[in-house]
């Protein structure tokens, strides 16, 4: 797994030269290159590998997805959204570069990422078009942004649907969307069939839901050092989370049950990397 992370880090650096006007490129690169887990690009690359595709040709897409993820973190931390001063263990983007530059850095990442998918593509034009479609779909108003909007609504106590439905909608869109994007893109690059795409998508959907439950639990039980951002924030802001709605024990049970479904779907692909990712999340919740 570390070799995939290193490959992604190397490419992220290479794809983002600092040129005039330096302020924007420094702000873009700052959050992207801070040490995150690189789960989404690694999951994209591993999907390509396990389906027999060319991992090298997936690098622009994998990095573009990490850029989209970084954009969502930068905007999520802004005072008008979650208002968090720390991210990935360091001051958040707006704390370092100011609010205007942080907004622009997010916008710039959002537009630069699909440019990269097209510009660096060594894939057939039809495949590249499909990848850009997936990118705009899952990063857009009907997925990632919708999840964030409902998250903000719910924080203000505005629930249009039941708490259960609202929470599922938030998790599936705010967090699930980028895991689905990563693994669907990997499947498309590897030339997987519609049936495979359906299976992989089902895994990513369940994994995304489980990952947000994991994130909710970690927010409750971990320290700033472990999280790299302010701990206990969800509770303090009265956020609708799995822990606030179902309690810690039931949240853990739901996480375990989703992980079992994920193992069941992925086992036939014999992927050590997916097994490792899931084991790491499980162990962290056990405090191992
Ligand atoms: C696309 C215009 C546009 C806006 C985005 C701000 C926003 C709308 C969405 C916020 C989405 C968000 C921050 C979801 C949280 C997902 C989550 C659990 C992030 C943490 O992921 P990790 O743990 O982070 O993988 P690292 O730092 O390891 O990469």
């Amino acid at each position: 797994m570390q070799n995939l992370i290193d490959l992604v880090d190397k490419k992220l650096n290479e794809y983002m030269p600092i040129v005039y006007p330096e302020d924007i490129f420094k702000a873009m690169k700052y959050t992207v290159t801070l040490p995150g887990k690189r789960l989404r690009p690694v999951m994209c690359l591993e999907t390509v590998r396990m389906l027999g595709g060319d991992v090298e040709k997936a690098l622009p897409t994998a990095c573009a997805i990490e850029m989209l993820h970084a954009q969502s973190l930068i905007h999520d931390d802004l005072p008008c959204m979650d208002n968090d001063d720390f991210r990935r263990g360091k001051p958040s983007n707006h704390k370092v570069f100011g609010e205007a530059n942080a907004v622009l850095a997010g916008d710039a990442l959002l537009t630069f990422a699909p440019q990269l998918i097209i510009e660096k593509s060594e894939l057939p034009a039809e495949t590249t078009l499909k990848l850009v479609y997936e990118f705009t779909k899952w990063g857009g108003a009907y997925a990632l942004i919708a999840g964030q909007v409902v998250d903000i609504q719910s924080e203000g106590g505005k629930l249009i649907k039941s708490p259960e439905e609202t929470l599922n909608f938030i998790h599936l869109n705010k967090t699930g969307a980028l895991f689905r994007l990563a693994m669907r893109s990997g499947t498309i690059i590897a030339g997987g069939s519609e049936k495979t795409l359906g299976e992989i998508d089902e895994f990513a959907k369940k994994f995304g839901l489980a990952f947000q439950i994991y994130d909710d639990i970690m927010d409750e039980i971990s320290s700033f050092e472990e999280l790299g951002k302010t701990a206990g924030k969800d509770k303090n802001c009265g956020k609708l989370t799995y822990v606030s709605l179902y309690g810690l024990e039931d949240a853990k049970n739901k996480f375990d049950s989703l992980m079992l479904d994920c193992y069941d779907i992925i086992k036939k692909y014999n992927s050590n990397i997916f097994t490792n990712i899931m084991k790491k999340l499980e162990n962290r919740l056990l405090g191992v």
Side-chain angles (χ1 to χ4, degrees), residues 76-288:
D76 191 51
D77 291 337
L78 287 169
C80 62
M81 298 224 193
D82 258 13
N83 192 19
D84 210 313
D85 290 352
F86 293 94
R87 178 62 72 173
R88 293 178 161 173
K90 295 277 184 230
S92 345
N93 201 287
H94 64 276
K95 282 281 151 190
V96 180
F97 299 98
E99 235 177 289
N101 277 328
V103 170
L104 290 168
D107 294 346
L109 285 168
L110 199 57
T111 49
F112 180 60
Q115 178 189 336
L116 190 70
I117 297 178
I118 296 168
E119 218 165 73
K120 301 282 179 196
S121 180
E122 291 176 34
L123 295 160
E126 196 186 332
T127 310
T128 308
L129 186 63
K130 279 187 191 164
L131 293 172
V132 174
Y133 168 71
E134 294 282 331
F135 184 95
T136 51
K137 176 177 170 177
W138 298 106
Y142 293 91
L144 177 62
I145 296 175
Q148 180 75 346
V149 168
V150 178
D151 192 31
I152 292 168
Q153 282 178 349
S154 80
E155 223 175 290
K158 183 176 166 192
L159 294 195
I160 292 159
K161 298 182 180 213
S162 72
E164 291 79 8
E165 280 176 300
T166 307
L167 188 60
N168 256 352
F169 185 90
I170 295 171
H171 284 22
L172 280 173
N173 287 286
K174 192 181 88 165
T175 305
L178 294 199
F179 288 111
R180 292 175 83 178
L181 169 64
M183 294 186 72
R184 290 177 65 89
S185 300
T187 309
I188 290 167
I189 293 167
S193 65
E194 278 303 314
K195 182 169 174 277
T196 305
L197 186 62
E199 264 176 22
I200 295 289
D201 190 49
E202 192 56 23
F203 172 93
K205 206 168 154 182
K206 285 177 183 290
F207 180 88
L209 199 50
F211 189 76
Q212 187 55 56
I213 298 173
Y214 160 87
D215 198 70
D216 290 352
I217 298 173
M218 290 302 281
D219 182 80
E220 177 95 3
I221 66 172
S222 304
S223 63
F224 171 81
E225 287 69 29
E226 284 168 295
L227 293 179
K229 61 177 183 174
T230 316
K233 196 128 188 296
D234 295 346
K235 200 179 199 169
N236 295 339
C237 297
K239 256 198 183 200
L240 181 61
T241 70
Y242 254 83
V243 179
S244 71
L245 192 60
Y246 300 108
L248 207 49
E249 209 47 47
D250 274 7
K252 278 186 181 166
N253 290 340
K254 179 70 183 163
F255 169 85
D256 287 343
S257 146
L258 285 162
M259 280 289 116
L260 283 180
D261 291 349
C262 284
Y263 281 119
D264 211 37
I265 299 173
I266 210 78
K267 64 179 184 243
K268 72 174 186 194
Y269 296 104
N270 288 323
S271 163
N272 286 338
I273 288 188
F274 279 113
T275 309
N276 279 348
I277 289 173
M278 291 193 281
K279 286 262 168 295
K280 266 191 189 158
L281 298 183
E282 288 168 333
N283 285 341
R284 283 196 72 189
L285 284 190
L286 290 171
V288 179

